[in-house]
């Protein structure tokens, strides 16, 4: 079985300033893996040096679909230099026009084309959901169902953001099970009780919120996730968030 990797999304560390500070905080919290962003890959030398300096690895990274369509070779070279095995494109909220089936189908086709291009270079590629497309009006299909149907037969993978599935009012367990054949990774986030942590956009340290992580962790792994990526969209204290979340989740890594 492929090694299970507990990783930290560097988006959560952005308020710490330079990349070196972010990587140092990740390592100090106990993480051995991190998930960089596109801007980190664009300075691949600094990223590779920082990973080596702190004994970290970056098995996955987040890159926009648009950039992968425009400058794939630059990003492929960054993956090669930094040891990145799989890229995930977050849902393109700013450029996604319309919520109808045609828009979701086009997105699926575009993602599938990138998955084939990267797959030919030995790099995995997947879609990272936000809250859009997870619920549907009566008689309609969920957007993500349309997307994955349009990409059927391609190498496209899925990185499930369990926090955003919960925020959409959908069942994380149901979605993980539905696309277990595509699931390769999951974002581990937690939601504060209603009305709490307003200054953190309602998010919390993992294990301190309302999501039932012992069962969700098991389900994510059972259905195919091999990289579990810890994230908080707006932590008050990024370093403390990383430390507390790692302490909570590390118990699940015990065989």
């Amino acid at each position: 079985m492929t090694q299970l990797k507990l990783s930290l999304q560097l988006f959560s560390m952005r308020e710490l300033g330079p990349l070196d500070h972010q990587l140092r905080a990740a390592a100090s919290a106990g993480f051995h893996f991190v998930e960089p962003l596109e801007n980190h890959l664009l300075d691949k030398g600094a990223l590779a040096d920082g990973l080596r300096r702190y004994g970290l690895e970056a098995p996955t990274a987040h890159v926009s679909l648009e950039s992968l369509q425009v400058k794939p070779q630059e990003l492929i070279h960054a993956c090669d230099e930094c040891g990145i095995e799989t890229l995930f494109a977050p849902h393109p909220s700013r450029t996604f026009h319309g919520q109808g089936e045609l828009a979701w189908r086009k997105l699926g086709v575009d993602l599938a084309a990138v998955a084939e291009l990267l797959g030919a270079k030995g790099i995995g590629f997947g879609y990272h959901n936000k809250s859009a497309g997870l619920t549907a009006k009566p008689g309609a299909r969920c957007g993500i169902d349309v997307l994955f149907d349009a990409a059927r037969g391609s190498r496209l993978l899925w990185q499930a953001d369990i926090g955003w599935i919960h925020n959409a009012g959908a069942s994380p367990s149901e979605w993980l099970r539905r696309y277990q054949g595509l699931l390769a990774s999951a974002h581990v986030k937690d939601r504060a009780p209603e009305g709490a942590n307003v200054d953190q956009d309602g998010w919390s340290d993992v294990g301190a919120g309302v999501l039932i992580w012992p069962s969700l962790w098991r389900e994510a792994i059972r259905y195919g996730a091999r990289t579990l990526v810890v994230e908080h969209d707006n932590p008050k204290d990024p370093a403390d968030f990383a430390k507390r979340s790692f302490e909570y989740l590390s118990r699940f890594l015990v065989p």
Side-chain angles (χ1 to χ4, degrees):
M1 179 181 292
T2 304
Q3 176 194 8
L4 184 66
K5 299 171 182 176
L6 178 59
S7 184
L8 177 65
Q9 165 59 257
L10 292 182
F11 179 71
S12 305
M13 301 289 104
R14 64 195 183 280
E15 294 300 327
L16 295 179
L19 175 62
D20 184 81
H21 295 182
Q22 299 175 33
L23 296 176
R24 183 169 66 235
S28 296
F31 287 92
H32 298 291
F33 303 97
V34 293
E35 185 172 74
L37 303 171
E38 182 175 329
N39 62 296
H40 300 131
L41 271 64
L42 296 180
D43 191 354
K44 59 183 183 295
L47 177 58
D49 289 345
L51 293 172
R52 284 192 293 269
R53 184 178 306 117
Y54 293 106
L56 296 166
E57 296 179 42
T60 64
H62 270 209
V63 176
S64 71
L65 172 61
E66 182 179 21
S67 291
L68 285 164
Q69 291 172 317
V70 172
K71 51 185 177 186
Q73 289 305 317
E74 181 177 350
L75 294 164
I76 289 169
H77 292 155
C79 289
D80 291 341
E81 183 164 339
C82 299
I84 296 166
E85 301 166 351
T86 308
L87 295 175
F88 292 104
H91 181 75
S93 304
R94 287 180 291 183
T95 58
F96 184 73
H97 302 297
Q99 295 292 322
E101 285 203 12
L102 285 177
W104 283 101
R105 183 164 293 280
K106 181 181 185 306
L107 180 57
V109 170
D110 290 346
L111 289 164
V114 171
E116 294 307 297
L117 182 144
L118 292 178
K121 301 293 185 179
I123 299 170
F125 177 67
Y127 168 75
H128 175 95
N129 66 276
K130 295 292 286 292
S131 59
L134 290 158
T135 58
K137 296 179 180 179
R141 299 172 68 196
C142 290
I144 291 179
D145 286 327
V146 175
L147 182 160
F148 284 136
D149 183 60
R152 189 184 304 275
S154 75
R155 307 187 209 201
L156 185 68
L157 302 170
W158 180 36
Q159 184 181 59
D161 191 310
I162 292 174
W164 281 116
I165 296 174
H166 170 83
N167 266 23
S171 165
S173 297
E174 178 183 331
W175 279 98
L176 292 172
R177 182 172 58 252
R178 186 182 303 188
Y179 287 108
Q180 59 186 282
L182 303 179
L183 184 66
S185 176
H187 267 208
V188 177
K189 299 166 73 168
D190 216 336
R191 194 71 182 169
E194 188 68 29
N197 289 7
V198 175
D199 59 339
Q200 299 181 69
D201 299 333
W203 299 105
S204 75
D205 296 348
V206 179
V210 300
L211 274 72
I212 311 301
W213 269 108
S215 58
L216 287 170
W217 178 274
R218 290 193 299 270
E219 289 174 344
I221 294 168
R222 180 188 313 141
Y223 295 131
R226 287 296 170 263
T227 305
L228 284 297
V229 185
V230 178
E231 185 183 34
H232 187 312
D233 283 0
N234 187 23
K236 182 185 295 184
D237 184 332
D240 190 55
F241 152 73
K243 182 176 182 294
R244 289 179 181 273
S245 298
F246 182 84
E247 288 175 350
Y248 173 74
L249 291 167
S250 59
R251 73 189 73 175
F252 301 150
L253 295 173
V254 177

